[in-house]
Amino acid sequence: MSEIYDLIIIGGGPGGYVAAIRAAQLGSTVAVIEKRKALGGTCLNEGCIPSKALLDSSELFVQARDKFAGHGILVEPPSLDLSKMMKRKQDIITRLTRGIASLFKKNQITLITGTGRIGSPATGGSLQVVATTDSNEQIIQGKRILLATGSVAIDIPGLPQDGNQVGQARDALEYNAVPEHLVVIGGGYIGLELGSVWPRLGSKVTVVEMLEEMLPSTDKEVTTALLKSLKKQGMTIHAGTKVAGMEKTEQGIILKLEGKIEESLSCDKVLVAVGRKPCIEGLGLDESGVSLDETGRIVVDNNYQTNVPNIFAIGDLIHGPMLAHKAMDEGVVFAEQLAGENPAVDYNLIPGVVYTHPEAASIGATEEQLKEQETPYKVGRFPFMASGRARAMDNVDGFVKVLANPESGRILGVHIIGPFASELISEAVTIMAFDGSIEDIALTMHAHPTLSEAFKEAALGAFGKAVHG
Ligand code: NAI
């Protein structure tokens, strides 16, 4: 009789591969079915990691072009070797995906490269998964199934993607030439991040966003500063505008805009970044009776169990923001719960980061949310302009904003725009996870000169105690 695994995971992205490793570490026998040739999912293969590689490379290009001279470093104006930049990005992906594969080996996880689908329950109570590989179809049995297939990009009806002229994020990470004019449809995370890469390398970039208020869940002060900075860097942003039609001509593409801006835009590339939806097609959810909510997400309980016993789901398939770090933490919590431990994800403390320049990062409530909830608060701000370290780095765009309870000083939200905001936010997450207050930060020594001093100064500023503010 074939082996009955303790756990079969469909999907080897940040949720699935992390759950697999943690479950194996805790003693479970685990099989993972992943359709890509490499582990790591969208994040590692065609999302977070490659986009950060290109954001870093293109930012260095800008530094060499616009900033070196100010540091007294005199170089010829830089020229671009795009294929080398792309190769570097690919090498990073290859190294990281191989790293996960070796962790799988180390933890004796069975990896099947193919497509997984929930099969019919086997006799004896175990569940079955049908794995379709290049060469065959096999049925594997397990005591539990974890669905972790992530999400796919949403299409706009009437704007068919060809993966070349009109494509999604993964296509914009593979352009083999710098577009002359890139139009990004959707001014969310992907739109603003990938929309930042290409103007640095010479493209004209126009972002067309349906909503009038962009990044609606971000603190408004941060959004205003971010959009101002992106516009200053050359990005054109048309908020409150939709694409009503598209025509392909010999010269390129003509997009008809409707809304706040009514005009025709001609461009050579279109990036569609209007959100993502759970990847559930072909998983066999209907046949197995797994329930979805009204938004198309799989319904789970606090243990990530669906309405079908022993079928679980995590990551982009379930409630909450579609973020790799959220999926990873759910993977760990799921595996530890299976082993009888009692951890939980704190859904109020999921940091959000936009990796633009400057970066924007946030945790907890925004000022607008506190106002709406009629929660009393005090605000403290500290501009990077006044930070010695930011000055030394010549990177002074942005500020830290701290929202705290006026009586107890308990921190309610932290919003950062500026250098390394993505790193700085972790201190805020930690202090909030421990229910910390302004007083806790005041008593914590921060090295000088560092960017993190800006967080301390902003926190103290909420109570008029800042020294440099
Ligand atoms: P998103 O939800 O962040 O933004 C999509 C934007 O498109 C929204 O502002 C929406 O109003 C707009 N939109 C929708 N339909 C439109 C239309 N027809 N015309 C114009 N605008 C339209 O989704 P995005 O940027 O595609 O990212 C997908 C997911 O990936 C997100 O859930 C995000 O959390 C995640 N992600 C996270 C990153 C990070 O953490 N730094 C980076 C990239 C993606």
Side-chain angles (χ1 to χ4, degrees), residues 167-461:
Q168 51 176 280
R170 66 163 169 250
D171 306 305
L173 290 165
E174 297 285 340
Y175 293 157
N176 55 16
V178 177
E180 246 173 71
H181 184 192
L182 166 67
V183 174
V184 181
I185 308 178
Y189 282 74
I190 293 179
L192 295 183
E193 289 183 9
L194 284 181
S196 292
V197 168
W198 296 101
R200 296 175 186 168
L201 304 178
S203 297
K204 178 180 170 194
V205 170
T206 306
V207 175
V208 179
E209 164 61 48
M210 181 174 77
L211 300 176
E212 292 218 13
E213 299 279 346
M214 291 175 61
L215 300 173
S217 50
T218 305
D219 191 273
K220 211 168 168 188
E221 231 175 301
V222 169
T223 307
T224 306
L226 178 61
L227 296 180
K228 191 172 159 200
S229 179
L230 293 175
K231 285 178 190 167
K232 213 167 108 191
Q233 291 166 48
M235 192 186 278
T236 303
I237 300 176
H238 295 323
T241 305
K242 274 173 86 167
V243 173
M246 178 177 77
E247 192 192 328
K248 283 188 181 172
T249 67
E250 296 257 304
Q251 287 73 39
I253 299 162
I254 299 174
L255 296 173
K256 193 167 167 290
L257 306 190
E258 211 175 71
K260 242 178 152 185
I261 304 285
E262 304 249 344
E263 64 178 35
S264 290
L265 274 185
S266 41
C267 60
D268 51 334
K269 293 277 186 200
V270 177
L271 160 59
V272 180
V274 294
R276 299 179 65 84
K277 60 178 184 190
C279 181
I280 52 174
E281 221 180 280
L283 263 184
L285 298 186
D286 278 350
E287 298 82 339
S288 51
V290 172
S291 298
L292 302 178
D293 67 16
E294 62 285 355
T295 66
R297 307 265 188 127
I298 295 177
V299 181
V300 291
D301 64 13
N302 288 341
N303 300 312
Y304 303 104
Q305 185 154 218
T306 67
N307 60 309
V308 178
N310 293 323
I311 300 186
F312 300 79
I314 55 169
D316 292 1
L317 289 176
I318 65 166
H319 59 80
M322 292 184 170
L323 295 170
H325 45 276
K326 176 226 176 221
M328 286 175 160
D329 276 18
E330 285 172 346
V332 170
V333 165
F334 162 78
E336 293 182 350
Q337 285 178 346
L338 266 195
E341 297 174 19
N342 199 21
V345 171
D346 185 344
Y347 286 95
N348 293 316
L349 288 180
I350 300 177
V353 178
V354 194
Y355 295 84
T356 41
H357 183 89
E359 290 182 346
S362 66
I363 185 74
T366 63
E367 190 168 352
E368 293 69 42
Q369 286 164 346
L370 293 178
K371 275 190 185 141
E372 205 182 300
Q373 299 157 8
E374 298 183 16
T375 304
Y377 65 91
K378 278 194 164 197
V379 191
R381 290 182 191 81
F382 191 79
F384 284 109
M385 198 95 82
S387 150
R389 188 66 208 275
R391 280 262 166 222
M393 291 164 68
D394 190 19
N395 205 342
V396 295
D397 218 2
F399 55 84
V400 179
K401 175 174 175 180
V402 175
L403 301 160
N405 180 290
E407 303 295 324
S408 64
R410 190 172 150 254
I411 299 180
L412 306 170
V414 178
H415 307 280
I416 307 175
I417 173 163
F420 296 106
S422 56
E423 303 292 338
L424 295 174
I425 201 67
S426 290
E427 182 183 1
V429 181
T430 305
I431 199 131
M432 287 179 73
F434 283 92
D435 233 349
S437 70
I438 300 293
E439 205 59 31
D440 296 310
I441 301 170
L443 293 171
T444 308
M445 197 180 290
H446 287 63
H448 176 74
T450 56
L451 297 170
S452 65
E453 289 170 297
F455 176 48
K456 182 169 177 171
E457 290 277 353
L460 291 174

